[in-house]
């Protein structure tokens, strides 16, 4: 699909823009994450407008892994794990923003730049669904990626 | 147990693009004090995207080289249909045939967008002008492209003007100017 290419290019330009900013000397990815956060926060509102309320936290996570992921990344999350105490691990074996970069461990050091946006999207979406969390990503071999969600309990 | 998919993925995609772009513009407005700098950055980003998009476009459409601006205009129109799912009208040809307008009734990038009054200098969609310029430069056409009308500023439609400057001889490696 042609229009998907556009998002990919825009995404890599965002990464490029943030990292080449003058005052960004330490490769600070938080701005990318924040762009993702506000995107996620807004998009989830439109996506869930006509859905019934989710039963519980796990149900919400399942929604993120299936419908949400499919509509954004064209595939489902391959594996969802949880310890039932607020930690969720989402594994995508062919993460879209990494599939065109490399397969294997070459360029591994660049992977964090390309997952920060998505960490933000997940965090923003959950935030608007009433779940405060911290999201980090872990890439061992591209293009597979694990997102760790740690729900903050108050 | 699988939920039936209730989300229209094509629509989601375009909304995601709109919202992501909005978040980027917001970030830039925070980064730069001067709105003119934001315009420039957006144009530059578009230029970079255009340089890569043209490859994707040529690969998908198998287009031969354009021999005149009318063909080019048609190709640009096709590209808008492919990538943004909108069909701009081509009109207002200059008598010399080297300048035309793309007129948009609606523009997916500005959905959900309202421009606050203090940002009247912001050219929200500069990225599109950049894309056009970057893409054409890769096929050895130097053009200028700018906004004449903008729905965000109260005009009835959005109009982008494209002006042919010159044909680039032998590809000069593209760099940032």
């Amino acid at each position: 699909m042609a229009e998907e290419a556009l998002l990919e290019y825009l995404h890599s330009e965002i990464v490029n823009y943030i990292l080449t900013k003058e005052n960004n000397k330490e490769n600070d990815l938080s701005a990318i994450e924040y762009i993702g956060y506000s995107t996620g926060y807004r998009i989830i509102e439109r996506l869930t407008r006509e859905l019934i309320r989710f039963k519980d936290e796990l149900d919400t996570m399942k929604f993120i892994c299936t419908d949400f992921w499919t509509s954004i990344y064209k595939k489902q999350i391959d594996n969802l794990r949880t310890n039932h105490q607020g930690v969720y691990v989402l594994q995508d074996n062919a993460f879209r923003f990494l599939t065109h970069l490399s397969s294997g461990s070459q360029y591994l050091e660049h992977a964090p730049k390309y997952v920060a946006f998505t960490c933000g999207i997940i965090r923003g979406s959950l935030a608007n669904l009433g779940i405060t969390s911290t999201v980090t990503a872990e890439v061992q071999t591209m293009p597979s990626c694990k997102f760790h969600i740690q729900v903050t309990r108050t | 147990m699988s939920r039936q998919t209730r989300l229209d993925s094509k629509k989601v995609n375009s909304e995601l693009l709109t919202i992501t772009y909005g978040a980027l513009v917001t970030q830039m407005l925070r980064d730069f004090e001067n709105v003119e700098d934001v315009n420039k950055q957006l144009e530059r980003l578009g230029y970079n995207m255009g340089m890569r998009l043209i490859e994707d476009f040529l690969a998908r459409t198998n287009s031969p080289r354009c021999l005149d601006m009318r063909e080019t205009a048609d190709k640009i129109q096709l590209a808008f249909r492919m990538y943004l799912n909108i069909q701009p009208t081509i009109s207002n040809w200059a008598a010399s045939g080297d300048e035309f307008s793309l007129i948009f009734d609606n523009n997916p990038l500005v959905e959900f967008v309202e421009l606050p009054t203090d940002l009247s200098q912001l050219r929200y969609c500069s990225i599109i002008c950049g894309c056009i310029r970057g893409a054409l430069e890769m096929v050895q056409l130097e053009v200028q492209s700018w906004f004449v009308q903008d729905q965000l500023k109260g005009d009835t439609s959005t109009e982008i003007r494209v002006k042919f400057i010159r044909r680039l001889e032998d590809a000069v490696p593209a760099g940032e100017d």
Side-chain angles (χ1 to χ4, degrees), chain B residues 43-51 130-131 133-134 137 174-175 177:
Chain B
E43 215 268 354
R44 191 182 64 92
L45 242 71
Y47 176 78
N48 293 343
M49 279 176 74
M51 288 196 327
C131 270
R133 189 169 67 87
E137 193 162 309
D177 24 69

Side-chain angles (χ1 to χ4, degrees), chain A residues 49-60:
Chain A
R49 201 171 31 166
E50 278 151 25
L51 303 186
I52 45 165
R53 181 179 277 275
F54 299 117
K55 280 202 304 284
D56 50 19
E57 201 174 272
L58 187 61
D59 200 31
T60 314

Side-chain angles (χ1 to χ4, degrees), chain B residues 63-74:
Chain B
S63 302
R65 191 173 284 277
C66 296
L67 298 175
D68 63 13
M69 278 309 270
R70 282 182 195 272
E71 273 181 58
T72 309
D74 287 342

Side-chain angles (χ1 to χ4, degrees), chain A residues 44-113:
Chain A
I44 200 74
E45 202 161 88
R46 300 197 47 85
L47 292 184
T48 53
R49 201 171 31 166
E50 278 151 25
L51 303 186
I52 45 165
R53 181 179 277 275
F54 299 117
K55 280 202 304 284
D56 50 19
E57 201 174 272
L58 187 61
D59 200 31
T60 314
M61 292 298 170
K62 280 186 189 156
F63 172 78
I64 298 282
C65 293
T66 54
D67 287 345
F68 181 72
W69 213 260
T70 314
S71 51
I72 296 183
Y73 297 112
K74 309 302 157 204
K75 67 188 285 298
Q76 293 192 0
I77 281 285
D78 295 297
N79 192 337
L80 166 66
R81 282 179 207 207
T82 175
N83 67 354
H84 298 286
Q85 282 165 29
V87 176
Y88 298 83
V89 179
L90 280 57
Q91 182 173 346
D92 188 337
N93 293 331
F95 181 54
R96 184 168 146 207
F97 290 144
L98 296 178
T99 43
H100 291 163
L101 287 185
S102 132
S103 64
S105 51
Q106 201 187 5
Y107 304 122
L108 203 56
E109 71 270 27
H110 295 289
K113 304 173 200 171

Side-chain angles (χ1 to χ4, degrees), chain B residues 16-122:
Chain B
L16 183 66
L17 187 75
T18 310
I19 294 176
T20 308
Y21 183 63
L24 171 69
V25 177
T26 316
Q27 176 68 38
M28 282 187 175
L29 286 168
R30 262 196 299 269
D31 290 344
F32 298 97
E33 281 167 25
N34 189 341
V35 177
E36 205 44 53
D37 288 340
V38 177
N39 292 337
K40 258 186 233 148
Q41 282 293 329
L42 288 174
E43 215 268 354
R44 191 182 64 92
L45 242 71
Y47 176 78
N48 293 343
M49 279 176 74
M51 288 196 327
R52 303 177 64 191
L53 268 172
I54 186 75
E55 269 187 58
D56 187 76
F57 176 80
L58 294 177
R60 282 176 206 271
T61 57
N62 246 326
S63 302
R65 191 173 284 277
C66 296
L67 298 175
D68 63 13
M69 278 309 270
R70 282 182 195 272
E71 273 181 58
T72 309
D74 287 342
K75 291 282 158 58
I76 295 178
Q77 193 184 35
L78 173 65
F80 273 105
R81 204 164 54 221
M82 277 174 56
Y83 291 108
L84 287 176
N85 211 2
I86 45 172
Q87 175 133 8
T89 327
I90 297 167
S91 68
N92 301 350
W93 280 96
S96 48
D98 62 355
E99 209 178 319
F100 61 91
S101 290
L102 295 158
I103 300 186
F104 304 82
D105 302 329
N106 61 340
N107 174 354
L109 281 188
V110 305
E111 236 183 296
F112 330 125
V113 178
E114 249 178 69
L115 222 50
T117 41
D118 56 323
L119 288 179
S120 59
Q121 293 307 308
L122 178 69

